[in-house]
């Protein structure tokens, strides 16, 4: 063990001038060893002949003779080092595509372990050894291996980029802080990277949320397409059943009916496929961005991260459509068969042919059965009720009272008309609800847009965003259209059904018990949310109750 500890160390074979293993070692009169060339070069650049190590001055330049014994020891040390390097190289991994190779290796390039920002070179385990052992090289700045080390140097001052200028949002060197970027705010690259990583993580979360929303929207669209296809199939089957009994002269109308339904379905399906394709493309773009953000957020390369963040523009996600307001509802086929039959009746009447006419009541009954799948649970909103209106605790009944309640005059409350709105609002698809009116002699039912005037008198008309009917004195009814339409009824409605198709622009009212259509507002243009509207007594003549039916 004592002999081993007395073996010369590697530092004893390094020239203190070039910091490399001795080449032609010579000894000065003061006893210090140097490379012959290094010592001559040192003396040639100085006015005095002095020892570079102890600074002893010689009156004349000493004659330099190679130290033979020491030269042999250096040669043995060099051979031993090369053998170790050769053995170590055989154990190291060869550089693969995408990995940084060693800049010093000749022939087969080994995988680099570190890069030096001073030498601007990357080193494998063997060639990295001098940077770990030699005093002069230990001061060099090492980092994980990267390519294009020259890009990490300040182009103006040829110094490593070590700081981040928050004022100019760029990476700078030490000289930049006192010259070009004087009085600016600086932080170390690592500190700035930590902040950027937090932003990247937030961006990643937002991107994933956008992806998830679009996937859910795709599921919704696909589900609606399926419902639309089922609805179309049912409608075609009913159409075939209705027209089967007609003679050959009316078969052309049956084909037109089926063609109309199928064309509408194809249009709906194409609209859905276009929306799905666009959302899938956005998902693909967002996933690509997510991958880039995730990869960048895991990077330990501070400079690369900061430079890439600038181009990635993490604060502004890629342009995408707001899909929250986009809807591809099932195509509406309500009334298709009924309208076709009406046209046939007119045609056959003109032809004066005998035909057993199909009862319209049967067709309306079929349609109304389908409405049930669009039924919604409507409850009254007390925040909108006129102070003279009294609501039940379950929000299903409303009645006009004789006493005006002392209620807060909030912006949602009607103050001039005896109206109350439903809590539920609708901005797409179809919905249906029923109201018991058998005890009422004067009442108003329908839907209104959310922005309807609530503080003054309201003119009931589609132009003002209100679609209603008014029942008066049992069998008198008015549709408040532009202009109002008088609708004499054959019977007094006991229960009124209200159907709204947002995309089709349709509001229809039905006498549920009689299975009869009362009136339809068609060609409506809905641009905001719709809410059910109720008025149990617009003349102040009775105190009956409107009841929202289950």
């Amino acid at each position: 063990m004592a002999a081993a500890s007395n073996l010369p160390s590697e530092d004893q074979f390094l020239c203190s001038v070039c910091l490399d293993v001795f080449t032609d070692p010579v000894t000065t009169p003061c006893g210090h060893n140097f490379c012959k060339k290094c010592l001559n070069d040192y003396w040639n650049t100085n006015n005095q002949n002095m020892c570079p190590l102890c600074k002893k001055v010689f009156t004349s330049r000493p004659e330099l003779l190679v130290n033979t014994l020491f030269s042999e020891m250096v040669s043995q040390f060099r051979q031993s080092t090369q053998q170790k390097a050769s053995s170590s190289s055989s154990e190291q991994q060869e550089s693969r595509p995408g990995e940084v190779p060693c800049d010093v290796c000749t022939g087969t390039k080994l995988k680099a372990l570190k890069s030096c920002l001073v030498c601007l070179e990357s080193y494998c385990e063997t060639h990295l050894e001098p940077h770990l052992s030699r005093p002069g090289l230990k001061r060099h700045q090492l980092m994980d291996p990267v390519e294009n080390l020259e890009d990490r140097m300040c182009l103006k001052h040829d110094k490593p980029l070590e700081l981040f200028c928050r004022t100019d949002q760029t990476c700078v060197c030490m000289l930049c802080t006192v010259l070009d970027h004087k009085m600016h705010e600086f932080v170390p690259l690592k500190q700035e990277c930590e902040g950027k990583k937090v932003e990247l993580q937030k961006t990643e979360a937002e991107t994933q949320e956008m992806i998830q929303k679009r996937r859910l929207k795709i599921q919704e669209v696909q589900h609606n397409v399926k419902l639309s296809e089922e609805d179309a199939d049912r409608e075609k089957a009913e159409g075939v059943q209705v027209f089967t009994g007609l003679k050959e002269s009316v078969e052309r109308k049956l084909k037109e009916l089926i063609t109309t339904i199928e064309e509408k379905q194809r249009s709906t399906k194409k609209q859905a496929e276009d929306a799905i394709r666009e959302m899938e493309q956005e998902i693909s773009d967002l996933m690509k961005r997510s991958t880039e953000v995730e990869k960048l957020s895991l990077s330990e390369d501070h400079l690369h991260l900061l430079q890439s963040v600038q181009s990635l523009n993490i604060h502004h996600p890629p342009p995408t459509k707001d899909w929250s307001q986009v809807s591809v509802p099932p195509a509406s086929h309500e009334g298709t068969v009924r309208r076709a039959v009406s046209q046939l009746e007119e045609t056959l009447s003109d032809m004066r042919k005998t035909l057993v006419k199909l009862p319209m009541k049967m067709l309306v009954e079929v349609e109304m059965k389908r409405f049930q799948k669009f039924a919604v649970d409507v409850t009254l909103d007390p925040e909108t009720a006129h102070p003279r209106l009294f609501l039940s605790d379950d929000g299903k009944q409303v009645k006009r009272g004789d006493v005006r309640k002392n209620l807060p005059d909030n912006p949602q409350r009607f103050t001039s008309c005896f109206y109350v709105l439903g809590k539920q609002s609708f901005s797409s698809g179809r919905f249906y609800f029923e109201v018991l009116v058998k005890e009422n002699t004067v009442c108003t039912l329908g839907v209104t847009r959310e922005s309807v005037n609530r503080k003054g008198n309201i003119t009931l008309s589609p132009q003002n965003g209100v679609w209603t009917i008014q029942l008066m004195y049992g069998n008198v009814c008015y549709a408040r259209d532009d202009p109002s339409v008088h609708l004499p009824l054959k019977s007094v409605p006991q229960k009124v059904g209200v159907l709204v198709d947002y995309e089709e622009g349709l509001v229809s009212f039905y006498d549920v018990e009689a299975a009869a259509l009362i009136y339809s507002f068609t060609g409506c243009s809905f641009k905001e949310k719709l809410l059910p509207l109720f008025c149990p007594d617009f003349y102040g003549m009775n105190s009956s109750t409107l009841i929202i039916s289950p």
Side-chain angles (χ1 to χ4, degrees):
M1 295 296 294
S5 63
N6 291 330
L7 290 175
S9 65
E10 181 180 355
D11 291 343
Q12 294 177 274
F13 296 102
L14 301 180
C15 172
S16 59
V17 176
C18 66
L19 301 178
D20 204 347
V21 179
F22 286 109
T23 301
D24 296 331
V26 295
T27 305
T28 60
C30 56
H32 295 121
N33 297 313
F34 302 96
C35 295
K36 184 175 182 180
K37 183 178 183 304
C38 292
L39 188 56
N40 280 327
D41 290 343
Y42 181 79
W43 284 345
N44 290 337
T45 57
N46 288 275
N47 296 328
Q48 293 180 311
N49 298 320
M50 67 170 64
C51 174
L53 196 58
C54 67
K55 307 302 181 183
K56 179 177 178 60
V57 179
F58 310 112
T59 55
S60 61
R61 179 176 294 193
E63 182 181 359
L64 299 177
L65 299 176
V66 176
N67 188 327
T68 305
L69 177 61
F70 189 60
S71 178
E72 292 178 356
M73 294 176 62
V74 170
S75 177
Q76 292 175 0
F77 172 76
R78 183 178 283 108
Q79 292 177 359
S80 174
T81 301
Q82 291 175 350
Q83 291 175 356
K84 290 180 181 179
S86 176
S87 175
S88 176
S89 297
S90 62
E91 297 176 358
Q92 296 183 56
Q93 294 181 357
E94 181 179 346
S95 175
R96 299 176 181 177
E99 295 178 340
V100 180
C102 176
D103 292 323
V104 183
C105 288
T106 57
T108 300
K109 293 284 189 178
L110 299 181
K111 178 182 176 181
L113 295 183
K114 293 289 181 181
S115 295
C116 177
L117 291 178
V118 178
C119 302
L120 296 182
E121 287 187 330
S122 299
Y123 303 104
C124 63
E125 182 178 358
T126 301
H127 296 116
L128 180 64
E129 181 61 27
H131 278 76
L132 303 178
S133 58
R134 298 179 186 177
L137 297 178
K138 283 183 179 181
R139 294 191 295 269
H140 289 191
Q141 184 176 352
L142 299 177
M143 63 177 298
D144 290 337
V146 292
E147 295 181 320
N148 303 322
L149 282 167
E150 60 274 6
D151 294 341
R152 299 176 173 273
M153 304 297 290
C154 178
L155 298 177
K156 190 169 186 179
H157 305 119
D158 198 27
K159 298 290 183 181
L161 298 171
E162 303 177 84
L163 299 172
F164 184 78
C165 176
R166 286 184 169 175
T167 305
D168 291 341
Q169 291 291 299
T170 185
C171 300
V172 297
C173 69
M174 286 295 185
L175 283 178
C176 289
T177 63
V178 296
L179 297 175
D180 304 324
H181 296 261
K182 190 175 182 180
M183 305 300 293
H184 288 186
E185 180 184 0
F186 303 97
V187 292
L189 293 182
K190 181 178 181 181
Q191 179 179 339
E192 185 67 19
C193 280
E194 290 174 352
K196 293 301 183 191
K197 284 187 176 182
V198 173
E199 296 178 9
L200 287 170
Q201 292 171 356
K202 182 179 179 182
T203 301
E204 164 68 5
E206 292 173 349
T207 303
Q208 289 295 337
E209 182 180 357
M210 294 173 69
I211 292 173
Q212 184 62 22
K213 285 182 178 179
R214 280 148 183 79
R215 285 175 172 164
L216 292 176
K217 179 61 72 171
I218 288 176
Q219 293 178 3
E220 176 189 335
V221 172
Q222 290 173 335
H223 177 67
N224 287 343
V225 170
K226 183 179 179 181
L227 290 178
S228 182
E229 290 175 342
E230 294 174 354
D231 197 15
D233 291 340
R234 285 194 298 269
E235 193 74 21
K236 287 189 291 184
E238 291 169 1
V240 172
Q241 182 180 5
V242 169
F243 282 89
T244 299
L246 297 179
K247 294 182 178 182
E248 187 175 357
S249 60
V250 298
E251 289 180 352
R252 180 176 57 86
K253 288 292 183 179
L254 175 58
K255 294 180 181 179
E256 292 177 356
L257 170 69
I258 296 176
T259 300
T260 300
I261 295 172
E262 290 179 338
E263 286 180 352
K264 196 166 191 179
Q265 172 56 24
R266 282 195 295 270
S267 176
T268 299
K269 189 170 183 179
K270 183 179 183 303
Q271 182 182 0
E273 290 173 347
D274 292 343
I276 290 173
R277 183 163 50 251
E278 187 174 354
M279 285 187 283
E280 286 178 340
Q281 180 60 47
E282 287 191 9
I283 288 175
S284 176
D285 296 340
L286 290 169
M287 291 182 69
K288 180 178 179 182
R289 176 179 173 85
S290 175
T291 300
E292 294 175 356
V293 170
E294 181 181 6
K295 181 178 179 181
L296 191 58
S297 64
L298 297 175
S299 174
E300 296 299 328
D301 183 350
H302 303 156
L303 178 62
H304 174 68
L305 186 149
L306 293 173
Q307 290 178 334
S308 300
V309 163
Q310 304 300 318
S311 60
L312 189 58
N313 198 4
I314 63 176
H315 296 294
H316 299 284
T320 55
K321 182 183 292 186
D322 181 5
W323 292 98
S324 62
Q325 299 300 321
V326 177
S327 177
V328 184
S332 172
H333 303 284
E334 269 68 50
T336 307
V337 176
R338 176 167 47 79
R339 289 191 293 270
V341 171
S342 296
Q343 293 173 1
L344 277 174
E345 288 181 346
E346 294 177 2
T347 301
L348 295 175
S349 176
D350 294 339
M351 295 171 62
R352 296 186 179 182
K353 291 183 178 181
T354 303
L355 179 69
V356 178
K357 297 183 179 180
L358 297 174
M360 295 302 294
K361 180 178 179 180
M362 180 186 70
L363 298 177
V364 175
E365 286 178 344
V366 172
E367 289 183 351
M368 291 186 65
K369 287 181 180 179
R370 290 201 300 268
F371 297 165
Q372 294 178 359
K373 67 181 179 180
F374 305 120
V376 293
D377 183 19
V378 175
T379 54
L380 302 172
D381 185 0
E383 296 297 319
T384 65
H386 185 279
R388 287 279 296 275
L389 297 182
F390 289 82
L391 278 57
S392 62
D393 293 339
D394 62 359
K396 296 295 185 179
Q397 301 183 28
V398 57
K399 179 179 180 180
R400 182 190 61 80
D402 296 329
V403 180
R404 184 183 181 95
K405 292 179 289 185
N406 185 17
L407 298 174
D409 185 15
N410 58 61
Q412 293 79 31
R413 190 178 307 283
F414 290 98
T415 55
S416 297
C417 301
F418 298 149
Y419 295 156
V420 61
L421 300 179
K423 287 184 178 180
Q424 294 73 22
S425 62
F426 306 90
S427 58
S428 65
R430 282 165 279 183
F431 63 94
Y432 174 77
F433 61 93
E434 296 178 347
V435 184
L436 286 169
V437 298
K438 59 183 179 180
E439 297 180 0
N440 287 275
T441 57
V442 180
C443 65
T444 304
L445 297 173
V447 294
T448 179
R449 64 189 179 194
E450 189 176 35
S451 62
V452 65
N453 175 32
R454 307 188 189 192
K455 299 304 177 184
N457 292 325
I458 303 173
T459 300
L460 299 179
S461 70
Q463 186 176 359
N464 292 325
V466 187
W467 296 265
T468 59
I469 61 170
Q470 288 184 321
L471 297 172
M472 304 172 60
Y473 314 116
N475 63 348
V476 178
C477 180
Y478 286 92
R480 294 307 183 187
D481 208 332
D482 295 319
S484 293
V485 180
H486 178 220
L487 304 170
L489 303 178
K490 296 181 180 180
S491 61
V492 178
Q494 303 293 301
K495 183 186 291 186
V496 175
V498 183
L499 174 71
V500 179
D501 189 322
Y502 197 96
E503 278 70 30
E504 289 292 326
L506 174 71
V507 181
S508 296
F509 297 86
Y510 295 86
D511 182 339
V512 177
E513 302 296 336
L517 175 67
I518 298 175
Y519 189 77
S520 286
F521 293 89
T522 59
C524 308
S525 178
F526 304 132
K527 297 182 180 179
E528 56 182 278
K529 294 180 180 179
L530 299 179
L531 299 97
L533 180 142
F534 308 88
C535 173
D537 178 11
F538 56 86
Y539 276 161
M541 299 178 61
N542 68 0
S543 58
S544 299
T545 304
L546 282 179
I547 303 174
I548 300 174
S549 178

